[in-house]
Amino acid sequence: MKTVLMAAFEPFEGELVNASWEAVSQLHERMICGAHVVAKQLPCVFGESLQVLNDAMDELEPELVIVVGQANGRPNITVERVAINIDDARIPDNAGRQPIDERIVADGPAAYFATLPIKAIVEGIREADIPAAVSQTAGTFVCNHVLYGLLHRQAQQGGRGGFIHVPYLPQQAVRHPGAASMPLQTVVLALEMALSIALTVEEDKKLEGGATQ
Amino acid sequence: MKTVLMAAFEPFEGELVNASWEAVSQLHERMICGAHVVAKQLPCVFGESLQVLNDAMDELEPELVIVVGQANGRPNITVERVAINIDDARIPDNAGRQPIDERIVADGPAAYFATLPIKAIVEGIREADIPAAVSQTAGTFVCNHVLYGLLHRQAQQGGRGGFIHVPYLPQQAVRHPGAASMPLQTVVLALEMALSIALTVEEDKKLEGGATQ
Amino acid sequence: MKTVLMAAFEPFEGELVNASWEAVSQLHERMICGAHVVAKQLPCVFGESLQVLNDAMDELEPELVIVVGQANGRPNITVERVAINIDDARIPDNAGRQPIDERIVADGPAAYFATLPIKAIVEGIREADIPAAVSQTAGTFVCNHVLYGLLHRQAQQGGRGGFIHVPYLPQQAVRHPGAASMPLQTVVLALEMALSIALTVEEDKKLEGGATQ
Amino acid sequence: MKTVLMAAFEPFEGELVNASWEAVSQLHERMICGAHVVAKQLPCVFGESLQVLNDAMDELEPELVIVVGQANGRPNITVERVAINIDDARIPDNAGRQPIDERIVADGPAAYFATLPIKAIVEGIREADIPAAVSQTAGTFVCNHVLYGLLHRQAQQGGRGGFIHVPYLPQQAVRHPGAASMPLQTVVLALEMALSIALTVEEDKKLEGGATQ
């Protein structure tokens, strides 16, 4: 039986919850397209987050790994295209560390592309009437750090991997005037669709999803 | 038995649906706090919209009238504070008319404040974990036109009235990249709460809801 | 000789300068279209700001009064259409007062329209390649407070009045990541044009400048 | 004598000018920090743009190449951190081509980091009171295409290279309501500073410039 690892983050920047974990934890032990989903919470800490992810990968040997993070203020589900080899923290992580312009892997390449069918996932989610888009940057904080580390490992050991950012939940947006949000069940549904497309679509679709700048 | 009139708009600007009517039509014939809710669709046309609203008010003699409109791109429920005595159309209405700087009521005052407990409504919706805020302008298009006309009539004949703007529905936002949205059932819930608060709160609460600019 | 009073504000919300005063102070004692310009700084304080403005109007008996304020984050010159009879402070003013939903004039009307040719001013500024627009709300803070008080007085005593919001200066935007700004000399030029148009255009132009929401 | 090549783009997306070329053309034949600046206009066309750049590099053998592009709507000067190996066009280029998910260099790495001291450049521009920031993505259109091609060549042949995005000019923003802009002379000054810093700073500064998402 195939195993899928879904990882998401603990709260950060003073929030009480992290939308990504609220959603991903609902998928724990679910069967999707014949695969067994295991959910794992990651600390929002450089280094440690990757260690927890690597330990879970050692244990589960998943064929597919999707990491989910919270993108404060974004109104839609965004599927990340690429991770870059740099830690550059605008704010301290949950352990108080704030690396500036440090390589994630000292001799690693500048970037890895996600190995998910990102256009097919965006199209599938949108066809379910849930706003979604490709994102051209996962930032330079812990989200990008984990995605780069994941793709670096999979480049050597095989397996598919990627990252999906989700909006604030409504109860978070209430405390951030003017911020967009998405209800938990909508996010869960979008992640289920992403999983099932990632498990069944071999080659990505040629669909528009670029940015002029 | 008390009657409440809830009015909302037909689609405009090329949309197939109008989020306001999708939500308000679900409240038709509902009983809320002992009041009978009647939903009415308004054309998105200067003049005609007010005529349809006035006819419904003649027929129903409602104690409370809440008009609901769609605010493209806004991420939250916004309760309007004021309507101003001006029609100034950025785009043509659904009948192709585009008035520029015309008074809605030739000798009417410059503005009317909504007579709903707007702060209490915003607080109540937010306590239900739905993002909401006071809005200081209803624009100068058909939404403001209807609110001004409603409040002008109620200033003479009595009754309470106001206006609530709602976001795109998710299926609309899918076609407007980057636009925020709110699911239909969340919008319906917010409007139910607005109605029940408007029906039961006599004096508005002193709660922060201003804007510096 | 005609006298024009231009008022602008002291810094607020922790800023070291206020873009409005930086610009308006450069117009002090200038002659524009045969009128003598007097610049006056107002405290960013409810009540006191209007007292300083009223004292200056008593002394100068200006035919035209334009108040200028800083609109944090806006990218363009905005000419205000209307002031509403409400103080509702999101943040404390410079004297620590934070009125919530209080009338500016107890028995005053809900609003006054600015008596400047706002469309002609916006058009003139834009023809000089400076981004400008009509604004449908001056907020509910000290800017709206002063504009309402000014228009209330002029409604009784005559004279024309209005309000123009200006962006951050670049040196302010540097400390507000992602905020738009406009150089001082561009703002000064826009205000000169606004003054000359206000002094020479009797009837406003019928130009599009509305908002749908 | 050192030669610096500054390249910028022809107008696109229906604009009459391109802010990047308006600024860069003013630097043609200038001497900055002992280096001779040559400005070159690039077509906004996949492939052809790189061909023109390569031809100029063959001819001039510049030690430093900075490409400048226009980022519609951004309020500040942004220095790009990275270019990724993908063409994904949201709109057709000026030759009508719209590649979707095609590699720029078939067997090239996923990305290259710009080899400019990007943090020092941002700091220097900001110290001159001009808003500036690091950007984590140059998009997937012709700008990213040219930056990737440039860095790929320099990875083999040596030399430093990078990309700077500049806002609309005010005369462009006038036709895009609500868009931010920056005056031409401010942009020119920022580019001069970027050049002089790139020519004199060997190792970049450890300064915050990251993004959480």
Side-chain angles (χ1 to χ4, degrees):
Chain A
M1 193 174 59
K2 286 185 188 176
T3 297
V4 169
L5 174 58
M6 293 209 77
F9 290 92
E10 65 180 4
F12 70 110
E13 216 174 9
E15 293 287 321
L16 298 177
V17 299
N18 186 309
S20 68
W21 178 247
E22 297 303 303
V24 163
S25 58
Q26 293 208 8
L27 296 173
H28 187 53
E29 302 290 359
R30 289 276 299 280
M31 292 296 303
I32 292 182
C33 297
H36 175 230
V37 179
V38 178
K40 192 83 196 170
Q41 196 189 63
L42 306 180
C44 188
V45 176
F46 289 99
E48 224 177 283
S49 50
L50 261 179
Q51 191 54 55
V52 173
L53 185 74
N54 278 320
D55 290 350
M57 290 174 75
D58 288 343
E59 181 195 334
L60 299 166
E61 298 183 348
E63 296 186 28
L64 174 66
V65 181
I66 297 183
V67 189
V68 183
Q70 174 185 299
N72 303 355
R74 278 197 204 156
N76 51 5
I77 302 284
T78 46
V79 185
E80 297 297 342
R81 187 195 288 272
V82 69
I84 61 175
N85 188 9
I86 202 94
D87 288 336
D88 193 3
R90 186 182 58 77
I91 55 172
D93 69 14
N94 281 2
R97 288 177 220 145
Q98 193 168 5
I100 304 270
D101 288 349
E102 298 177 6
R103 299 284 159 195
I104 300 166
V105 176
D107 57 351
Y112 287 105
F113 286 109
T115 50
L116 304 181
I118 61 173
K119 300 292 183 73
I121 290 173
V122 166
E123 185 196 37
I125 295 173
R126 289 165 54 100
E127 281 175 353
D129 281 345
I130 301 172
V134 172
S135 165
Q136 323 299 339
T137 172
T140 57
F141 197 54
V142 182
C143 291
N144 173 75
H145 176 85
V146 170
L147 178 57
Y148 184 90
L150 164 65
L151 295 170
H152 183 69
R153 172 178 171 143
Q154 290 185 323
Q156 275 121 42
Q157 304 182 359
R160 291 174 107 183
F163 197 104
I164 297 176
H165 267 113
V166 302
Y168 276 136
L169 297 175
Q171 64 262 40
Q172 297 177 286
V174 158
R175 286 191 299 274
H176 296 278
S181 61
M182 191 175 275
L184 183 57
Q185 290 316 312
T186 308
V187 175
V188 171
L189 179 59
L191 294 179
E192 283 172 359
M193 301 186 66
L195 267 184
S196 73
I197 292 166
L199 285 164
T200 54
V201 173
E202 279 301 307
E203 193 166 347
D204 200 5
K205 297 186 175 181
K206 288 266 180 188
L207 297 167
E208 183 259 305
T212 43
Q213 58 198 241
Chain B
M1 193 174 58
K2 285 185 188 176
T3 297
V4 169
L5 174 58
M6 292 208 79
F9 291 91
E10 65 179 4
F12 71 109
E13 216 172 8
E15 294 287 321
L16 298 177
V17 299
N18 187 308
S20 68
W21 178 246
E22 297 303 303
V24 163
S25 58
Q26 292 207 8
L27 297 173
H28 187 53
E29 302 289 1
R30 289 277 297 279
M31 292 297 301
I32 292 182
C33 298
H36 175 230
V37 179
V38 178
K40 192 84 197 170
Q41 196 189 62
L42 307 180
C44 188
V45 177
F46 289 100
E48 224 177 282
S49 50
L50 261 179
Q51 191 53 55
V52 173
L53 185 75
N54 277 320
D55 290 350
M57 290 174 76
D58 288 344
E59 182 196 332
L60 299 166
E61 297 183 349
E63 296 186 26
L64 172 67
V65 181
I66 297 183
V67 188
V68 183
Q70 175 185 299
N72 302 355
R74 279 196 204 158
N76 52 4
I77 302 284
T78 46
V79 184
E80 297 296 341
R81 187 195 287 272
V82 68
I84 61 175
N85 189 8
I86 202 94
D87 288 337
D88 193 4
R90 184 181 60 78
I91 54 172
D93 68 14
N94 281 1
R97 288 176 221 145
Q98 194 169 3
I100 303 270
D101 288 347
E102 298 178 7
R103 300 284 159 195
I104 300 166
V105 176
D107 57 351
Y112 287 104
F113 286 109
T115 50
L116 304 181
I118 60 173
K119 301 290 183 77
I121 290 173
V122 166
E123 185 196 37
I125 295 174
R126 289 166 53 101
E127 282 176 352
D129 282 343
I130 301 171
V134 172
S135 165
Q136 323 298 340
T137 171
T140 57
F141 197 54
V142 182
C143 291
N144 174 75
H145 176 86
V146 169
L147 178 56
Y148 185 91
L150 164 64
L151 295 170
H152 183 69
R153 173 178 169 147
Q154 289 184 325
Q156 276 122 41
Q157 303 182 2
R160 289 173 109 183
F163 196 104
I164 296 176
H165 267 114
V166 302
Y168 276 136
L169 297 175
Q171 64 262 40
Q172 297 178 287
V174 159
R175 287 191 298 273
H176 295 279
S181 61
M182 191 175 276
L184 183 56
Q185 290 317 312
T186 308
V187 175
V188 171
L189 178 60
L191 295 179
E192 283 173 359
M193 300 187 66
L195 267 184
S196 73
I197 293 166
L199 284 163
T200 53
V201 173
E202 279 300 307
E203 191 165 347
D204 200 4
K205 295 184 176 183
K206 288 267 181 188
L207 296 168
E208 182 258 306
T212 44
Q213 57 198 241
Chain C
M1 193 175 59
K2 286 184 188 176
T3 297
V4 169
L5 174 59
M6 293 208 79
F9 290 92
E10 64 180 3
F12 71 110
E13 216 173 7
E15 293 286 322
L16 298 176
V17 299
N18 186 309
S20 69
W21 178 246
E22 297 303 302
V24 163
S25 58
Q26 292 207 9
L27 297 173
H28 187 53
E29 302 290 358
R30 290 277 297 280
M31 293 296 303
I32 292 181
C33 297
H36 175 230
V37 179
V38 178
K40 192 84 196 170
Q41 197 189 62
L42 306 180
C44 188
V45 176
F46 289 100
E48 224 177 283
S49 49
L50 261 179
Q51 191 55 53
V52 173
L53 185 74
N54 278 319
D55 290 349
M57 290 174 75
D58 288 344
E59 182 196 332
L60 299 166
E61 297 182 348
E63 296 187 25
L64 173 67
V65 181
I66 297 183
V67 188
V68 183
Q70 175 186 299
N72 302 355
R74 278 196 205 158
N76 52 4
I77 301 284
T78 45
V79 184
E80 297 296 341
R81 188 195 286 271
V82 68
I84 61 175
N85 188 8
I86 202 94
D87 288 337
D88 192 3
R90 184 181 61 77
I91 55 172
D93 70 13
N94 281 1
R97 288 176 220 146
Q98 194 169 3
I100 304 270
D101 288 348
E102 298 178 8
R103 299 285 159 195
I104 300 165
V105 175
D107 57 350
Y112 287 104
F113 286 109
T115 50
L116 304 181
I118 60 173
K119 300 291 183 76
I121 290 173
V122 167
E123 185 195 37
I125 295 173
R126 289 166 53 101
E127 282 176 353
D129 281 343
I130 301 171
V134 172
S135 165
Q136 323 298 339
T137 171
T140 58
F141 197 55
V142 182
C143 290
N144 174 76
H145 176 86
V146 169
L147 178 56
Y148 185 91
L150 163 64
L151 295 170
H152 184 69
R153 174 178 170 146
Q154 289 184 324
Q156 274 121 42
Q157 303 181 2
R160 291 173 109 184
F163 197 104
I164 296 175
H165 267 114
V166 302
Y168 276 135
L169 297 176
Q171 63 263 40
Q172 297 178 287
V174 159
R175 287 189 298 274
H176 296 277
S181 61
M182 192 175 275
L184 183 56
Q185 290 316 312
T186 308
V187 175
V188 171
L189 179 59
L191 294 179
E192 284 173 359
M193 300 186 66
L195 267 184
S196 75
I197 292 167
L199 285 164
T200 54
V201 173
E202 279 300 307
E203 192 165 346
D204 200 4
K205 295 184 176 183
K206 288 268 181 187
L207 296 168
E208 183 259 305
T212 43
Q213 57 198 243
Chain D
M1 192 174 59
K2 285 184 188 176
T3 297
V4 169
L5 174 59
M6 293 208 79
F9 290 92
E10 65 181 2
F12 71 109
E13 216 174 8
E15 293 287 321
L16 298 176
V17 299
N18 186 310
S20 68
W21 178 247
E22 297 303 304
V24 164
S25 58
Q26 293 208 10
L27 297 173
H28 188 53
E29 302 290 359
R30 290 275 298 279
M31 292 297 303
I32 292 182
C33 297
H36 175 230
V37 180
V38 178
K40 192 84 195 170
Q41 196 188 62
L42 306 180
C44 188
V45 176
F46 288 100
E48 224 177 283
S49 49
L50 262 179
Q51 192 53 56
V52 174
L53 185 74
N54 278 320
D55 290 349
M57 290 174 76
D58 288 344
E59 182 194 334
L60 299 166
E61 298 182 349
E63 296 186 27
L64 173 67
V65 181
I66 297 183
V67 188
V68 183
Q70 174 185 299
N72 303 353
R74 279 197 205 155
N76 51 5
I77 301 285
T78 45
V79 184
E80 297 297 341
R81 186 195 289 271
V82 68
I84 61 175
N85 188 8
I86 202 94
D87 287 337
D88 193 3
R90 186 182 58 77
I91 55 173
D93 70 13
N94 281 2
R97 289 176 220 145
Q98 193 169 3
I100 304 270
D101 288 347
E102 298 177 7
R103 301 283 159 197
I104 300 165
V105 175
D107 57 351
Y112 288 104
F113 287 108
T115 50
L116 303 182
I118 61 173
K119 300 290 183 74
I121 290 173
V122 166
E123 184 196 38
I125 295 174
R126 289 165 54 100
E127 281 176 353
D129 282 344
I130 301 173
V134 172
S135 166
Q136 324 298 340
T137 171
T140 57
F141 197 54
V142 183
C143 291
N144 174 75
H145 176 86
V146 170
L147 178 56
Y148 184 90
L150 164 64
L151 296 171
H152 183 69
R153 173 178 170 143
Q154 289 185 323
Q156 275 120 43
Q157 304 183 359
R160 291 174 107 184
F163 197 104
I164 296 176
H165 266 114
V166 302
Y168 277 136
L169 297 175
Q171 64 264 38
Q172 297 177 287
V174 158
R175 286 190 300 274
H176 296 278
S181 62
M182 192 176 275
L184 183 56
Q185 290 317 311
T186 308
V187 176
V188 171
L189 178 59
L191 295 179
E192 283 172 0
M193 301 186 66
L195 267 183
S196 73
I197 293 166
L199 285 164
T200 54
V201 173
E202 279 301 307
E203 193 165 347
D204 200 4
K205 296 185 176 181
K206 287 266 179 188
L207 296 167
E208 183 259 305
T212 44
Q213 58 198 241

